[in-house]
Amino acid sequence: MVYPRLLAVVVGLLAVVAVPAGCTAIGIGVCDDPDPEELFEAAFVHDDDLEVVHGERTTAVSGGNDTRTERIEVTERPYVTYRSEVLDSDVPQREGTQYVSNATGSWSYDPSADVVTAYEADAPYENDAVREARAQQAERQLEYYDLTYRGTRTIADREAHVLDIEAKPETAETGISLFIGDSELILYAVETVDPAEELTVVEQTVWIDAEYRYPLQERLVVEGPTGDRYEMTERFETVTFNTAIEDDRFVFDPPANATVQEWD
């Protein structure tokens, strides 16, 4: 998972004044748009004040005349603890699918097969170490993309900055890299795209929360070897930040009769 965030730095202010991007204020002058590179980095590393994300996210994947959607409840404490559950889906056997991760490992539950796939970490994940790894990943990937700022839009009743991300011609991207959700889950589990196909990303846009530097929506267009195109969108329909969440939300207890297998 790549799981696959902003305000421009205003230099020379003599006092600390909060002014939205793109605005004007008496005595301040005209604000610059956010730096696209900072927005790109924010897709990996969010605002320091962000502690909890909770909401419902809709996934839609379309190709040809076929479109599949599902609704997922998401709870996250960046960057180690995460829980998602499919609430409803156009693929009925997907409903109830769960994914949980914490410092000790991760668990994926397929209710249609009643199988849990578990991964146990050799050593507990440290949040600061994961954050630093994501920051380094953002820095490495910056050189591969051309970035264009597209202003702001409202997503889930929140202001979001819009960033177009295009692979440079000399580094045309093959495969899927997402800031929101899981590419395998999105493309393959909803049975729209053949997993054996080599897919090239041709369009990618991400909408990033202006306050907490967290991606609220992503649109991706990919192309197969025969020229067939598929579009997928991940979008939070509702989202809250920094609400109280109990620790046991990120503990996974396998169903009583489920088969538990180790991650290969």
Side-chain angles (χ1 to χ4, degrees):
M1 296 178 74
V2 177
Y3 295 43
R5 277 200 147 12
L6 355 159
L7 294 176
V9 176
V10 180
V11 179
L13 292 181
L14 299 180
V16 177
V17 181
V19 184
C23 68
T24 61
I26 297 174
I28 300 299
V30 178
C31 298
D32 294 331
D33 287 336
D35 181 350
E37 291 191 2
E38 289 186 18
L39 287 177
F40 182 84
E41 292 166 354
F44 295 83
V45 178
H46 323 310
D47 188 84
D48 289 341
D49 291 334
L50 178 59
E51 298 179 355
V52 176
V53 181
H54 180 255
E56 289 188 6
R57 193 177 69 212
T58 298
T59 295
V61 182
S62 61
N65 296 321
D66 191 20
T67 298
R68 304 288 178 90
T69 63
E70 61 185 33
R71 184 169 56 94
I72 305 168
E73 182 181 11
V74 175
T75 309
E76 180 179 2
R77 287 179 182 160
Y79 297 89
V80 172
T81 51
Y82 182 91
R83 184 184 190 99
S84 67
E85 180 174 357
V86 177
L87 302 178
D88 50 62
S89 174
D90 287 342
V91 182
Q93 62 266 33
R94 288 275 305 148
E95 295 179 3
T97 296
Q98 298 178 47
Y99 176 82
V100 178
S101 68
N102 57 40
T104 66
S106 63
W107 300 261
S108 179
Y109 175 57
D110 178 358
S112 65
D114 202 19
V115 171
V116 175
T117 302
Y119 170 78
E120 183 176 350
D122 294 333
Y125 294 113
E126 296 291 340
N127 200 65
D128 288 346
V130 175
R131 184 187 188 282
E132 178 60 24
R134 290 170 65 97
Q136 293 175 4
Q137 181 184 10
E139 184 176 357
R140 289 193 303 270
Q141 292 198 17
L142 264 175
E143 64 180 288
Y144 301 126
Y145 297 100
D146 290 321
L147 308 173
T148 305
Y149 180 63
R150 298 295 187 188
T152 61
R153 299 290 186 274
T154 299
I155 305 295
D157 295 325
R158 297 186 60 86
E159 181 185 21
H161 295 291
V162 186
L163 184 68
D164 281 347
I165 303 168
E166 182 179 3
K168 294 179 180 179
E170 65 273 20
T171 58
E173 185 179 15
T174 299
I176 305 301
S177 178
L178 289 179
F179 298 120
I180 309 176
D182 185 310
S183 58
E184 182 176 355
L185 179 156
I186 295 169
L187 285 176
Y188 308 147
V190 296
E191 301 175 349
T192 301
V193 182
D194 182 354
E197 286 195 42
E198 186 175 76
L199 302 172
T200 300
V201 177
V202 294
E203 295 179 32
Q204 189 168 15
T205 304
V206 62
W207 289 253
I208 298 172
D209 186 79
E211 181 179 4
Y212 287 108
R213 299 166 55 94
Y214 185 88
L216 297 177
Q217 177 172 306
E218 182 169 11
R219 174 181 175 270
L220 199 67
V221 178
V222 298
E223 187 175 280
T226 61
D228 293 335
R229 289 197 171 191
Y230 309 94
E231 178 178 336
M232 58 185 177
T233 301
E234 288 267 59
R235 175 189 174 98
F236 276 90
E237 303 298 339
T238 64
V239 66
T240 59
F241 296 104
N242 295 348
T243 53
I245 298 292
E246 297 295 331
D247 291 343
D248 60 8
R249 179 72 175 161
F250 304 103
V251 175
F252 183 78
D253 294 318
N257 298 317
T259 299
V260 179
Q261 60 186 22
E262 293 185 1
W263 193 279
D264 293 333

